[in-house]
Amino acid sequence: MPNIAKVIVDLSLDREFDYLIPDDLVGVITVGSRVEVPFGHSWKTGFVMALADSSSFPDLKSIRNTVGEGAYLAEDVIQLARWISDYYLCPFELTIRTMLPAPVRRRDARFRKQKLVDITETGKKVAADGAIKAPKQKTVLDWLVKNGPSPQREVIAECSVTTAVIKALEEKKWVEAGEGKRIRNPFKDHQVVPTLPLHLMPQQKDALDACCKAIDKKEPEVILLNGVTGSGKTEVYLQAIAYTVAQGKGAIVLVPEIALTPQTVDRFRARFGDVVAVLHSDLSDGERHDEWHRIRKGDARIVVGARSALFAPLPNPGLIVVDEEHEHSYKQDESPRYNARDMAVMRGHIIPCAVILGSATPSLESVLNVRKGKYRQVVMPHRIDHRKMPAMRIVDLKLDAEASGRPNVLSADLVEAIRIRLDKKEQVMLFLNRRGFSSSLLCPKCGEAPKCNQCSVTLTYHKATQKLMCHFCASEFPVPTRCPNPQCRDPNFKHAGIGTQRIEEVVNKIFPHARIVRMDSDTMTQRESYRTVLGDFRTGKIDILIGTQMIAKGLDFPNVTLVGVVLADMSLQVPDFRSAERTFQLLTQVAGRAGRGDVSGEVIVQTFSPHHWSIQAARRMDFEAFADQELAFREELEYPPYSHMICLTCRGPDAAVVESAIQKVADGMNAANLKGITISGPAPSPLARLKGQYRFQLIFRSRQTAAMTRPLREVLRGMKWPKNVGFAIDVDALDFM
Ligand code: ADP
Ligand code: ZN
């Protein structure tokens, strides 16, 4: 039996320390155990990352004890952590931290042993009589009648009373109090109606067969489930999960954070009941702690959650599902900047187990993997009960402006369509597919946005220098006085200042009697207000909902019959080579919002680029045509998925200092004289200044990530960073802002 443990201590030291396992704990301590160890002059907790028979260090100290039972981290998760640290250039210790929810990691984390309070039979009678003098005691009794046995703390908080009140009730024998362990169940107030497996449509049956074959296989297999919105993907997941569980294995389902609503979770709970655990940032710390341990002990076999649920300590996973696999929110925006979709495939590979990636608009990364034969694709082209997808109409804003003599926020066609829907008491969504900020220049007359002649990326406008810049290759261009489009040459070429607020003003003016609500990150500061607005919209208290892509995701409003995309060019002109892909995805997604009910829906897309392939393909719902054209473009310019890209961003209060620091990294990489790596920049980031910090970026491109990360790690190790300069490395970056 190995008696040396390699322990990682929660101290940001990024290394493992060897400890001796005392005789009585040999065989008890395993990889993933949580242990208490002497460190310096104190005791620290840590996690065992590996066992060994010998150590190269003399005089090892001994582990004092274990904390909690069994392994906190499964071996496959630890292996995944090593892989993530290496691939995403992140300290191992930080990756481990990311994998464990804070309430589990905390030193004092445990199940709450707490005082439970319950009402006695006498107490119930007294409460029913209503003959109590003390109003506070009455409140407590009434509350207990309604809520049943509850932790004393909760009773005190909910009834706004002191412990003295509980004491008094105890003395009268109206309540009893005692110690108890309680699982904090996030669903305790919430019942769902159970559902049975549906009889599958042929396309679903084929998809399920493919999934079950993958689950049966010994080798890991990845299935790309490419099914239009409403094609019944979720039912396929449910039955594939049932198949997995029947084999005594567990399943993890990842959904984008924004789609992790009670409705989504309920579909799983309605089918599987209490074996479903949810890992969600909305849970209280206590709930998260308890759910996590419920999974670890095998009491919950199905885990539904956002990104980090991928690391759930599920014993014996047989299936990992990633719904809406193209979603950018699967990428973590702090170190480790992992993509949960890619890491799901990796974990599936390590375990090994089956992985299902589902989407109506798969990422081009996944599409290329299908074309290379790495993933198996199953297509579900039809909506359930063959309801038609809504018709998409493209409105050319240039023609509209010509007809009315001036540029309009809402074209005559869109205004007319809204009027018709409002008259019929149907609902409308207006949608501005803006992403973050937009600092591209856009001609208000023809919609032209100047592009870099080398990189085909939209140029960004830098206010400070009054220049247009390509943030990929750092070329600078003067701001043209007229629109660069030779057919247009409009002198009003200037900042495209359209936002949701402006749309709201315009809509209010045209439809003064409509009930209009704007929903974007400015108005929706709290999750709660987001839910309230969606609730009001669902119950028909709002006629027109205006928003950013926030309103496009996975929502189902049967009475929405018209969706208007106010300016498709907004996402098309984002300075990013993925702008066409994003546009296609957004348009397809919003189209899925219209006509979910019995009335057929309509989508109107306003744009200056009516002929762009992403818009045309979205109109025809032709995913393959879009993928063909977009992949050809990516291949020619060697953009992902034909290469990997790393974005290094440096920031600091002094632009010159930041620039010279990042230049040193560039010099270091250039000096290494590497083959097969393209280095672009350094250049100011499109978001050149943020919170008083100047930001510069350096972009590396290569077919192999390791070909870049290996030398980069060396260069960074030798760097002496000036004070106040911070940096971030984003491997397989999705966001170049
Ligand atoms: P997707 O996830 O592909 O958007 P859903 O799984 O949400 O599609 O299915 C859309 C709707 O069709 C849901 O209301 C679902 O209950 C229903 N549905 C799915 N499969 C079937 C089936 N085989 N028979 C009847 N209704 C189904
Ligand atoms: Zn360029």
Side-chain angles (χ1 to χ4, degrees):
M1 275 285 194
N3 68 337
I4 309 282
K6 296 188 175 294
V7 176
I8 199 155
V9 185
D10 211 354
L11 278 176
S12 307
L13 291 171
D14 196 26
R15 54 170 287 213
E16 291 154 68
F17 296 89
D18 289 0
Y19 285 93
L20 217 52
I21 303 178
D23 288 347
D24 58 328
L25 291 178
V26 169
V28 174
I29 289 178
T30 63
V31 171
S33 286
R34 187 167 199 197
V35 292
E36 196 172 21
V37 294
F39 197 89
H41 295 292
S42 63
W43 299 95
K44 298 273 175 216
T45 57
F47 294 96
V48 176
M49 292 294 114
L51 299 177
D53 292 312
S54 62
S55 168
S56 49
F57 298 96
D59 303 329
L60 294 181
K61 292 181 185 166
S62 278
I63 290 176
R64 174 154 92 170
N65 213 341
T66 55
V67 183
E69 288 159 30
Y72 274 60
L73 290 151
E75 288 210 56
D76 75 282
V77 172
I78 295 176
Q79 209 178 324
L80 183 64
R82 290 197 194 280
W83 201 90
I84 287 177
S85 300
D86 184 56
Y87 187 85
Y88 290 105
L89 287 179
C90 172
F92 181 49
E93 200 253 12
L94 189 57
T95 308
I96 292 288
R97 283 175 71 91
T98 304
M99 292 179 157
L100 292 164
V104 170
R105 220 169 51 223
R106 261 202 303 274
R107 201 175 150 82
D108 57 354
R110 57 176 64 99
F111 286 95
R112 186 178 282 167
K113 275 252 175 33
Q114 55 192 348
K115 215 168 178 186
L116 288 180
V117 183
D118 197 9
I119 189 163
T120 60
E121 287 306 316
T122 340
K124 278 185 194 155
K125 282 196 196 107
V126 176
D129 293 347
I132 324 169
K133 294 259 161 48
K136 286 195 172 157
Q137 296 185 8
K138 180 169 166 28
T139 311
V140 171
L141 289 185
D142 289 347
W143 196 86
L144 284 173
V145 168
K146 200 162 146 232
N147 294 284
S150 306
Q152 175 161 318
R153 250 184 223 232
E154 198 174 319
V155 179
I156 288 174
E158 292 289 322
C159 303
S160 319
V161 296
T162 57
T163 27
V165 177
I166 310 276
K167 267 246 165 63
L169 285 166
E170 260 189 278
E171 275 161 20
K172 289 179 177 162
K173 299 255 181 324
W174 290 351
V175 306
E176 283 172 350
E179 293 283 317
K181 182 168 117 181
R182 194 169 106 121
I183 300 271
R184 288 153 283 196
N185 178 354
F187 308 119
K188 69 174 185 305
D189 307 321
H190 187 75
Q191 295 303 318
V192 289
V193 183
T195 61
L196 291 171
L198 298 172
H199 183 76
L200 295 183
M201 306 230 310
Q203 64 177 17
Q204 288 174 307
K205 215 169 168 321
D206 292 346
L208 181 64
D209 282 348
C211 295
C212 292
K213 278 206 189 94
I215 294 163
D216 284 338
K217 262 195 190 161
K218 287 217 163 43
E219 302 78 45
E221 185 171 37
V222 182
I223 303 235
L224 179 66
L225 182 54
N226 181 349
V228 298
T229 323
S231 60
K233 293 187 290 294
T234 311
E235 186 61 32
V236 174
Y237 305 153
L238 288 168
Q239 298 197 21
I241 292 166
Y243 185 81
T244 309
V245 172
Q247 318 231 334
K249 295 181 177 177
I252 298 175
V253 183
L254 301 185
V255 298
E257 179 81 42
I258 195 160
L260 196 53
T261 58
Q263 293 95 298
T264 309
V265 176
D266 282 354
R267 288 185 74 177
F268 292 88
R269 288 190 61 225
R271 189 66 55 86
F272 302 110
D274 285 345
V275 295
V276 176
V278 179
L279 291 177
H280 192 298
S281 57
D282 260 9
L283 301 183
S284 70
D285 278 3
E287 286 169 343
R288 221 165 349 148
H289 170 270
D290 294 0
E291 285 289 83
W292 195 87
H293 282 283
R294 217 157 66 79
I295 298 164
R296 190 170 75 100
K297 298 213 170 91
D299 295 339
R301 314 299 309 278
I302 300 161
V303 182
V304 180
R307 192 170 59 217
S308 64
L310 174 65
F311 308 126
L314 187 70
N316 198 11
L319 175 66
I320 305 174
V321 176
V322 184
D323 192 27
E324 308 285 353
E325 65 90 30
H326 64 279
E327 271 293 322
H328 284 196
S329 65
Y330 281 125
K331 190 94 161 59
Q332 170 143 302
D333 57 9
E334 56 186 59
S335 191
R337 293 181 161 73
Y338 69 94
N339 186 321
R341 186 255 332 264
D342 298 342
M343 291 309 98
V345 171
M346 199 53 186
R347 192 171 176 194
H349 199 80
I350 291 171
I351 289 174
C353 78
V355 177
I356 304 176
L357 308 179
S359 176
T361 51
S363 64
L364 291 171
E365 280 75 9
S366 295
V367 172
L368 189 62
N369 279 325
V370 168
R371 294 189 179 187
K372 281 181 179 164
K374 286 191 187 168
Y375 299 172
R376 178 192 302 276
Q377 176 167 249
V378 187
V379 182
M380 300 208 297
H382 309 294
R383 274 182 151 180
I384 294 288
D385 65 29
H386 294 271
R387 224 183 300 139
K388 278 225 290 287
M389 287 298 261
M392 189 183 288
R393 190 144 50 103
I394 313 290
V395 172
D396 185 340
L397 282 175
K398 201 168 126 197
L399 296 181
D400 181 77
E402 277 168 20
S404 67
R406 66 195 156 88
N408 295 312
V409 172
L410 300 185
S411 64
D413 288 5
L414 184 53
V415 169
E416 183 55 22
I418 296 174
R419 198 185 307 283
I420 292 172
R421 299 297 171 176
L422 291 182
D423 283 348
K424 292 199 221 164
K425 304 267 178 272
E426 292 166 10
Q427 287 175 303
V428 176
M429 283 170 122
L430 292 180
F431 171 85
L432 190 66
N433 46 344
R434 179 186 58 157
R435 205 184 96 207
F437 85 123
S438 169
S439 65
S440 315
L441 292 186
L442 197 70
C443 173
K445 197 157 164 221
C446 75
E448 175 88 5
K451 284 193 160 59
C452 173
N453 47 19
Q454 288 174 54
C455 306
S456 285
V457 163
T458 304
L459 300 173
T460 44
Y461 175 58
H462 287 257
K463 228 180 189 156
T465 55
Q466 302 267 323
K467 290 243 163 69
L468 290 177
M469 178 173 290
C470 170
H471 73 102
F472 267 57
C473 72
S475 313
E476 275 190 350
F477 305 85
V479 177
T481 48
R482 287 166 171 273
C483 172
N485 174 2
Q487 265 100 58
C488 175
R489 310 289 293 152
D490 190 75
N492 286 320
F493 186 76
K494 62 171 198 296
H495 219 99
I498 184 168
T500 45
Q501 208 170 343
R502 175 110 174 78
I503 300 174
E504 188 184 16
E505 283 164 21
V506 171
V507 177
N508 257 319
K509 215 164 175 186
I510 306 178
F511 302 102
H513 301 299
R515 294 163 299 173
I516 300 163
V517 172
R518 170 165 64 98
M519 188 157 120
D520 53 27
S521 45
D522 297 338
T523 57
M524 296 294 123
T525 42
Q526 283 164 355
R527 223 185 155 89
E528 218 23 64
S529 49
Y530 172 76
R531 286 199 183 142
T532 313
V533 169
L534 292 181
D536 287 352
F537 194 50
R538 192 179 300 278
T539 50
K541 288 185 198 143
I542 298 169
D543 300 312
I544 303 178
L545 185 61
I546 300 168
T548 52
Q549 53 266 37
M550 205 176 193
I551 61 175
K553 302 274 163 66
L555 306 167
D556 198 346
F557 301 108
N559 200 36
V560 171
T561 51
L562 172 64
V563 171
V565 177
V566 177
L567 186 56
D569 311 60
M570 280 246 149
S571 61
L572 213 47
Q573 307 296 10
V574 168
D576 188 330
F577 68 91
R578 285 193 179 87
S579 61
E581 183 179 9
R582 292 291 283 157
T583 304
F584 178 82
Q585 289 166 350
L586 289 168
L587 292 181
T588 308
Q589 234 162 40
V590 284
R593 296 308 109 215
R596 305 271 285 193
D598 300 330
V599 192
S600 66
E602 179 185 24
V603 179
I604 293 185
V605 176
Q606 304 194 123
T607 176
F608 287 109
S609 326
H611 303 296
H612 193 279
W613 70 81
S614 64
I615 293 178
Q616 282 300 328
R619 184 180 67 76
R620 296 193 312 268
M621 321 247 155
D622 191 345
F623 179 79
E624 289 299 317
F626 169 74
D628 286 345
Q629 193 143 3
E630 184 65 18
L631 281 173
F633 158 75
R634 302 279 183 91
E635 185 167 25
E636 176 160 338
L637 290 167
E638 287 186 29
Y639 282 142
Y642 293 94
S643 65
H644 289 272
M645 229 181 228
I646 298 179
C647 181
L648 174 85
T649 304
C650 291
R651 63 186 144 66
D654 184 332
V657 173
V658 178
E659 192 171 11
S660 90
I662 197 168
Q663 186 62 53
K664 285 207 183 90
V665 179
D667 292 346
M669 289 294 278
N670 282 318
N673 215 351
L674 304 155
K675 290 228 165 57
I677 298 186
T678 311
I679 303 177
S680 311
S685 304
L687 203 54
R689 209 168 162 207
L690 183 68
K691 295 178 188 151
Q693 304 253 306
Y694 290 90
R695 305 168 78 245
F696 287 79
Q697 62 182 210
L698 190 55
I699 293 172
F700 307 100
R701 233 184 309 165
S702 166
R703 281 180 176 263
Q704 292 295 327
T705 303
M708 299 179 277
T709 49
R710 239 181 271 130
L712 188 54
R713 194 178 283 119
E714 288 309 311
V715 170
L716 291 174
R717 197 168 284 153
M719 271 297 285
K720 284 197 190 61
W721 291 98
K723 228 170 63 193
N724 296 331
V725 173
F727 70 98
I729 304 162
D730 194 352
V731 176
D732 292 339
L734 292 176
D735 185 349
F736 296 89
M737 291 296 168

